[in-house]
Amino acid sequence: MPSSDVPDPAELLRQHGLQVTAQRIAVIRAVSAYPHGTVDDVAEAVHDDIGSISRQAVYDSVGMLAEKGLIRRIQPAGSPARYEDRVGDNHHHLICRTCDQMVDVDCAVGYTPCLTAADDFGYEIDEAEVIYWGRCPECMAADTQPVVQ
Amino acid sequence: MPSSDVPDPAELLRQHGLQVTAQRIAVIRAVSAYPHGTVDDVAEAVHDDIGSISRQAVYDSVGMLAEKGLIRRIQPAGSPARYEDRVGDNHHHLICRTCDQMVDVDCAVGYTPCLTAADDFGYEIDEAEVIYWGRCPECMAADTQPVVQ
DNA sequence: ACAAATATTGGAATAAGTCCAGAATTGATG
DNA sequence: CATCAATTCTGGACTTATTCCAATATTTGT
């Protein structure tokens, strides 16, 4: 992707009424570089990028960015919150139960909600979150290796 | 449901090779009485039932019961782990983003996985977890009340 | 340059879950 | 019924993830 296609983080922040700070720019870059990263992953990447950042600032930044729709917050069962910059296509995730590896899976519909509940109980449903669980090829291969007696 | 239809917790435990203890029986009863309860909810219910139980014993019990398929562990984004005794029908959940109220939604298929990923990446998929997010009727009504200036 | 508003810092605190040694209980066995 | 091994429970300590908070720093508009 040509660098001209990568939106300027500072511009993104301004467009959404957010103050531009070095920390926020670094957080955006970190989330882009490491999809599905945790706050710790992001903090580490930011540390490598601009030298240092408080955990509070990471929490504040990802929270604000997610609220504005600039990044997406996901949190599969048993996981801390994770962040990705692939937004707007309602893609799903496929996660290995053994090694926790996660891959993106396109949504057949492409927007929310992509499923209809059998009964909506009068709720105004805005999203059908889908997570596919299973085992990745590597863990399947490792699991079925013959046991040496 | 006639009480004869309610499986005896002790018998359930024995059938699954688990030792029968007062704590485990009380945990099973608590999860049945309070679907979608957290460990704290269960501990409180058990406390009312048999007087006392350690948090560790609650964690151990629900963990073991879930492993054996006697109860189900769910953990929507932003929530601690929750437990329910409605197992085997792959039902989904509908959660209010405002008040966190959760209701069960029947699965159109009734067994896992109930959806097919656009690309399975060679994974062996055993479940498509679906969570519907939105706002419940009460929160919708409260939100659209005219603002008195 | 200045000042208000916002953001960051660096801790303290809370919530959720795990680890652990010792005590208690369960259930098989004789 | 007594005994004992295995398992479970207890009551803390500990870890991870996230939030709270006062003081300080930075951004941005004037």
Side-chain angles (χ1 to χ4, degrees):
Chain A
M1 174 186 264
S3 66
S4 58
D5 290 349
V6 178
D8 174 35
E11 200 43 47
L12 269 179
L13 289 164
R14 285 193 194 96
Q15 279 163 9
H16 287 80
L18 299 172
Q19 283 184 326
V20 179
T21 68
Q23 291 85 354
R24 286 177 173 173
I25 291 178
V27 164
I28 292 174
R29 286 206 288 255
V31 171
S32 291
Y34 303 99
H36 310 136
T38 63
V39 158
D40 277 345
D41 296 332
V42 172
E44 199 175 316
V46 167
H47 184 273
D48 291 345
D49 185 354
I50 61 169
S52 90
I53 186 170
S54 70
R55 283 170 66 81
Q56 187 56 59
V58 181
Y59 276 103
D60 285 342
S61 296
V62 293
M64 186 59 68
L65 293 167
E67 189 182 308
K68 300 293 189 183
L70 289 173
I71 65 174
R72 185 178 176 192
R73 178 185 194 281
I74 61 175
Q75 189 179 16
S79 172
R82 294 177 180 279
Y83 301 89
E84 59 185 345
D85 67 349
R86 185 177 162 184
V87 298
D89 63 354
N90 196 36
H91 67 281
H92 305 310
H93 298 93
L94 168 49
I95 305 172
C96 180
R97 292 195 190 275
T98 304
C99 66
D100 297 324
Q101 176 156 293
M102 182 180 311
V103 294
D104 288 344
V105 174
D106 286 341
C107 172
V109 177
Y111 51 84
T112 69
C114 54
L115 297 173
T116 303
D119 183 345
D120 68 13
F121 294 88
Y123 278 57
E124 180 182 65
I125 296 174
D126 59 62
E127 180 188 2
E129 176 185 9
V130 176
I131 303 173
Y132 295 96
W133 296 93
R135 287 188 307 154
C136 67
E138 290 74 30
C139 289
M140 284 166 62
D143 197 45
T144 55
Q145 288 292 342
V147 175
V148 176
Q149 295 288 19
Chain B
M1 174 187 264
S3 65
S4 58
D5 290 349
V6 178
D8 174 33
E11 199 44 44
L12 269 179
L13 289 163
R14 286 192 195 94
Q15 279 164 9
H16 288 79
L18 298 171
Q19 282 185 326
V20 178
T21 69
Q23 291 83 353
R24 286 177 173 173
I25 291 176
V27 163
I28 291 173
R29 286 206 288 255
V31 172
S32 292
Y34 303 99
H36 311 134
T38 62
V39 158
D40 280 344
D41 296 332
V42 172
E44 199 175 316
V46 167
H47 184 273
D48 291 347
D49 187 352
I50 62 170
S52 90
I53 186 170
S54 67
R55 280 171 61 80
Q56 187 56 57
V58 180
Y59 276 102
D60 285 342
S61 296
V62 293
M64 184 60 67
L65 293 167
E67 189 182 308
K68 299 292 186 182
L70 289 173
I71 66 176
R72 185 178 175 193
R73 178 184 193 281
I74 62 176
Q75 188 178 17
S79 171
R82 294 178 179 280
Y83 301 88
E84 61 185 345
D85 67 349
R86 185 176 162 184
V87 298
D89 64 352
N90 196 37
H91 67 280
H92 306 309
H93 297 94
L94 168 50
I95 305 172
C96 179
R97 292 194 190 277
T98 304
C99 67
D100 297 326
Q101 176 155 292
M102 183 180 312
V103 293
D104 288 345
V105 173
D106 286 342
C107 171
V109 177
Y111 50 84
T112 69
C114 53
L115 297 171
T116 303
D119 183 345
D120 68 13
F121 294 88
Y123 277 56
E124 180 182 65
I125 295 174
D126 59 62
E127 180 187 2
E129 176 185 7
V130 177
I131 302 174
Y132 296 96
W133 295 93
R135 287 187 307 154
C136 68
E138 291 74 31
C139 290
M140 284 166 62
D143 197 45
T144 55
Q145 288 293 342
V147 175
V148 177
Q149 295 286 21

